[in-house]
Amino acid sequence: YQSIIWKENHMKVEVFPLEKIRIEDKEIAIGMNESQVKELMGKAERSFENYGSKSYRSFYFDSELGLDFDENGLLEFIEFLGGNKGMLKPYIYGLSVFETDAEKVKNVLAEHDNEIDDSEAEFGYSFLNESIGLWRKDSKSKYWDTVGLGIKDYYRF
């Protein structure tokens, strides 16, 4: 019975690298200002300044979605934090990132972006041209725990 409720409560989110995400009928685009995002999403559950920076992060969907705004208040990074057990189900190139085998997700992303930072391959990968990052807490986990997408060159800094 619990899994039936869960299935009804999950939300498919389409991810368009370097561009936007689509949650139901809402599109949140990289580069939007905070007031545009608030108009679509409502007030954030919580926000805090990123350590040592003028940028800040706002959280939505029980903290499963983190939105980072730069010092000018423009959206520069979107991160899905709920993993396999979360309500939000991000899809990239037709694959459910948190419900598809981690190796398969990595390989499909590599087909779209062959410039990969694998310096922390045990836990994650950054796809430098598409500005997509994958991460997991346990290197033996079958699924990714987080996926993020950023502005152009986000992972090159």
Side-chain angles (χ1 to χ4, degrees), residues 57-94:
R57 175 171 274 204
S58 294
F59 290 94
Y60 292 90
F61 296 102
D62 291 329
S63 297
E64 283 191 38
L65 180 65
L67 303 178
D68 287 8
F69 296 89
D70 66 16
E71 62 275 358
N72 300 312
L74 301 178
L75 184 60
E76 66 178 354
F77 186 70
I78 300 168
E79 189 170 25
F80 296 92
L81 302 157
N84 189 265
K85 292 178 173 63
M87 174 182 71
L88 297 179
K89 301 297 175 192
Y91 281 72
I92 300 178
Y93 305 124

Side-chain angles (χ1 to χ4, degrees), residues 5-151:
I5 290 173
W6 176 84
K7 288 272 187 236
E8 291 172 2
N9 290 333
H10 83 281
M11 296 175 74
K12 180 178 179 180
V13 182
E14 291 178 89
V15 175
F16 302 87
L18 299 171
E19 193 181 337
K20 65 187 176 191
I21 62 170
R22 184 182 300 132
I23 301 174
E24 294 177 330
D25 61 344
K26 298 176 176 91
E27 290 192 351
I28 298 149
I30 297 283
M32 271 183 153
N33 67 43
E34 186 187 23
S35 61
Q36 291 171 306
V37 172
K38 276 185 181 169
E39 198 172 297
L40 287 170
M41 301 291 293
K43 186 179 184 299
E45 296 160 1
R46 60 191 178 103
S47 293
F48 68 88
E49 196 170 294
N50 289 323
Y51 179 75
S53 163
K54 291 190 178 5
S55 65
Y56 57 95
R57 175 171 274 204
S58 294
F59 290 94
Y60 292 90
F61 296 102
D62 291 329
S63 297
E64 283 191 38
L65 180 65
L67 303 178
D68 287 8
F69 296 89
D70 66 16
E71 62 275 358
N72 300 312
L74 301 178
L75 184 60
E76 66 178 354
F77 186 70
I78 300 168
E79 189 170 25
F80 296 92
L81 302 157
N84 189 265
K85 292 178 173 63
M87 174 182 71
L88 297 179
K89 301 297 175 192
Y91 281 72
I92 300 178
Y93 305 124
L95 288 180
S96 177
V97 176
F98 295 151
E99 298 174 306
T100 303
D101 180 77
E103 194 67 18
K104 182 174 183 180
V105 172
K106 178 191 71 122
N107 292 339
V108 168
L109 285 171
E111 289 171 18
H112 292 268
D113 184 348
N114 61 6
E115 199 171 344
I116 303 165
D117 177 353
D118 60 0
S119 59
E120 296 181 32
E122 189 176 342
F123 298 102
Y125 296 89
S126 300
F127 296 84
L128 302 180
N129 294 320
E130 297 270 291
S131 293
I132 297 286
L134 299 170
W135 186 81
R136 58 187 169 194
K137 291 185 262 286
D138 178 356
S139 62
K140 293 172 183 45
S141 174
K142 184 178 176 177
Y143 303 107
W144 296 109
D145 291 317
T146 71
V147 60
L149 65 146
I151 58 173

